[in-house]
Amino acid sequence: MTIRLFIKASIIAGFISLPLSAQATDLDRRQSELKSIQTQINKQQSAVKDTNKQRDRLISLLKKDEQAIATAAKKVNKTKQDLASIDKALAELAVKYTQLDKLKIIQQKTLSNQLASAYLAGNHDYSKMLLNQQSPASIERLLAYYQYLNNARIASIKQLQTTIVELDEVKLKQQQNQTRLNKLVIEQQQQAKRLDQEQAQRQQTLTQLQRTLTSSGAKLEQLQIEEASLKRVVEQALLAMKNNPSLDGLSSKRKLKWPTKGRIKSGFGSKRSGQVKWKGVTISASEGQNIAAIAGGKVIYADWLRGFGMVLVVDHGKGYMSLYGHAQTLLKSAGDSVSKGESIALVGRSGGQTESGLYFEVRHKGQAVDPARYCKR
């Protein structure tokens, strides 16, 4: 029986029990009460519809905010890698410069000694040696010796010139890298500011969204919608997996590394809300921390998913797949091949989470299995 039918039945029953003289007056009063109740019901139904519309609008806005964060975070991560690469290059150039500078000093000293020796030996004119009636053999030995010294000096001069050129090249590379380093530092500061702005916008959206989920019924409904969304993604992934028959699967039980370091906050199969249970594990970890693929495979999904935020799914072959959710940003795209231990995403709070962490699932032929079966305890 609906609320309206129940109200009408109650009014009719009360009306019949009254004397005839009072029925007319009471009927008007009860009809007025009925209209008032109906008005309240209509207002409540309208408010629920408005709340649902507002919630959907906020979820759509949350998606945009978190996608913007993912873009900014990816740029920040790329800049960090570039900065590390340039720092390493500058360190290598500094070592090379020191080595070349020492070599230049040694070569200059060698050349200086050779020139001093030539000066002390004096100039020997070939015609004078003949007039002095020196033997041809002695003259030939002296000429060969002086030619050797001359060649040695020429070689030393060429080596010194080469070293000086290399030193100039190293100096130029250092200057170029330092200029690029300074530019990247400025870019990183701008990107970090942009990331902070996007995160602040997301927090505002999330606060408004949480206000629409104050009742346990609304929260349960939200979880059921999220579970249905994940189910559709898994079904899509299963279809995509048929194209990757050559992968090796997950045969190494309890030998694989967890995708990121942290504490398991929610275990597999534990209660989430109502009858909804966790089909994976939630790992508490610092925002921006690396997420690595537990095994080699191919990315078959990389996108935002309601309730799970930035999600990446890797096909490992033989019906096995791993899923990584709540990421700050994804470092791989659908279709990319990944190696065991390769960074594929960064830990975040996407999907409307208030704390940073990773949601991690392992599935076999579409069915969720405890990740602890495959990852080290």
Side-chain angles (χ1 to χ4, degrees):
M1 183 182 292
T2 65
I3 295 173
R4 292 186 180 183
L5 288 174
F6 177 76
I7 293 170
K8 287 180 179 179
S10 300
I11 291 172
I12 292 171
F15 175 74
I16 293 173
S17 64
L18 292 173
L20 293 174
S21 58
Q23 286 183 2
T25 303
D26 193 63
L27 178 60
D28 291 338
R29 182 176 62 80
R30 290 181 179 270
Q31 285 179 337
S32 177
E33 289 177 356
L34 177 60
K35 287 181 180 179
S36 177
I37 292 171
Q38 287 174 338
T39 300
Q40 291 178 26
I41 290 172
N42 289 335
K43 285 183 178 179
Q44 187 65 30
Q45 288 177 336
S46 178
V48 169
K49 287 181 181 178
D50 289 342
T51 300
N52 289 337
K53 286 181 181 178
Q54 184 187 15
R55 189 183 304 156
D56 290 340
R57 181 183 66 80
L58 287 170
I59 288 172
S60 178
L61 187 58
L62 182 68
K63 177 182 178 180
K64 290 180 180 178
D65 291 342
E66 292 184 343
Q67 286 176 330
I69 287 172
T71 300
K74 194 170 186 177
K75 288 180 179 178
V76 169
N77 184 67
K78 177 67 167 58
T79 303
K80 283 181 180 178
Q81 290 178 341
D82 290 344
L83 284 169
S85 177
I86 290 176
D87 279 337
K88 183 180 178 182
L90 282 170
E92 290 173 352
L93 286 171
V95 171
K96 188 174 182 180
Y97 184 88
T98 302
Q99 291 172 343
L100 287 170
D101 194 48
K102 288 180 179 178
L103 181 60
K104 185 185 77 169
I105 292 170
I106 293 170
Q107 290 171 342
Q108 286 175 331
K109 189 174 181 180
T110 301
L111 183 59
S112 177
N113 291 337
Q114 289 174 346
L115 292 172
S117 298
Y119 177 77
L120 291 173
N123 294 321
H124 294 271
D125 189 284
Y126 182 71
S127 59
K128 286 182 179 180
M129 285 188 287
L130 287 174
L131 290 172
N132 289 334
Q133 296 181 347
Q134 291 186 12
S135 67
S138 297
I139 294 171
E140 188 175 350
R141 283 197 299 271
L142 282 171
L143 289 175
Y145 173 71
Y146 292 136
Q147 185 63 42
Y148 169 79
L149 290 177
N150 189 50
N151 290 340
R153 284 195 298 271
I154 292 171
S156 295
I157 291 169
K158 286 182 178 179
Q159 288 174 351
L160 181 58
Q161 288 174 335
T162 301
T163 301
I164 291 171
V165 169
E166 288 183 6
L167 274 169
D168 290 338
E169 289 176 352
V170 169
K171 281 182 182 179
L172 181 61
K173 286 181 181 178
Q174 283 179 318
Q175 291 171 353
Q176 291 173 340
N177 281 345
Q178 190 63 50
T179 301
R180 191 178 171 212
L181 181 66
N182 295 339
K183 184 180 177 182
L184 282 172
V185 168
I186 294 171
E187 285 181 10
Q188 187 184 38
Q189 291 170 348
Q190 293 172 342
Q191 290 166 355
K193 185 178 180 181
R194 178 66 178 171
L195 181 58
D196 288 341
Q197 291 172 344
E198 297 293 354
Q199 287 176 332
Q201 178 60 50
R202 172 194 177 272
Q203 186 57 47
Q204 292 179 10
T205 304
L206 184 59
T207 301
Q208 294 178 49
L209 179 60
Q210 287 171 337
R211 288 172 185 163
T212 69
L213 296 170
T214 52
S215 69
S216 58
K219 290 178 182 178
L220 180 60
E221 179 187 359
Q222 175 74 4
L223 291 176
Q224 289 169 339
I225 293 171
E226 291 171 5
E227 192 173 48
S229 299
L230 184 60
K231 184 179 179 181
R232 285 196 295 272
V233 168
V234 171
E235 289 171 351
Q236 292 173 17
L238 284 171
L239 291 174
M241 288 173 72
K242 294 179 180 179
N243 299 322
N244 303 315
S246 61
L247 297 172
D248 297 329
L250 299 177
S251 58
S252 302
K253 291 189 176 182
R254 291 195 178 92
K255 292 183 179 180
L256 302 175
K257 288 185 178 180
W258 289 91
T260 196
K261 292 180 180 179
R263 176 181 60 85
I264 293 180
K265 184 179 176 183
S266 302
F268 176 81
S270 61
K271 186 177 179 180
R272 191 176 180 189
S273 180
Q275 298 300 315
V276 180
K277 293 184 178 180
W278 288 104
K279 290 182 170 58
V281 298
T282 303
I283 304 172
S284 293
S286 301
E287 193 164 15
Q289 189 170 296
N290 273 331
I291 298 171
I294 60 170
K298 184 176 181 180
V299 178
I300 50 178
Y301 183 89
D303 205 347
W304 190 91
L305 181 65
R306 182 170 177 172
F308 297 91
M310 303 304 295
V311 172
L312 189 140
V313 180
V314 179
D315 171 24
H316 301 291
K318 297 183 179 179
Y320 288 96
M321 70 173 79
S322 57
L323 181 147
Y324 312 80
H326 300 324
Q328 183 186 56
T329 189
L330 306 177
L331 305 179
K332 298 293 180 180
S333 303
D336 289 347
S337 294
V338 297
S339 304
K340 181 180 179 179
E342 184 178 0
S343 292
I344 55 175
L346 301 179
V347 172
R349 294 177 289 162
S350 61
Q353 299 302 299
T354 55
E355 296 179 0
S356 62
L358 168 67
Y359 178 68
F360 174 53
E361 279 191 6
V362 173
R363 290 186 179 246
H364 185 232
K365 296 181 180 179
Q367 296 300 312
V369 294
D370 188 353
R373 290 186 189 178
Y374 302 93
C375 298
K376 296 176 182 178
R377 292 189 182 277

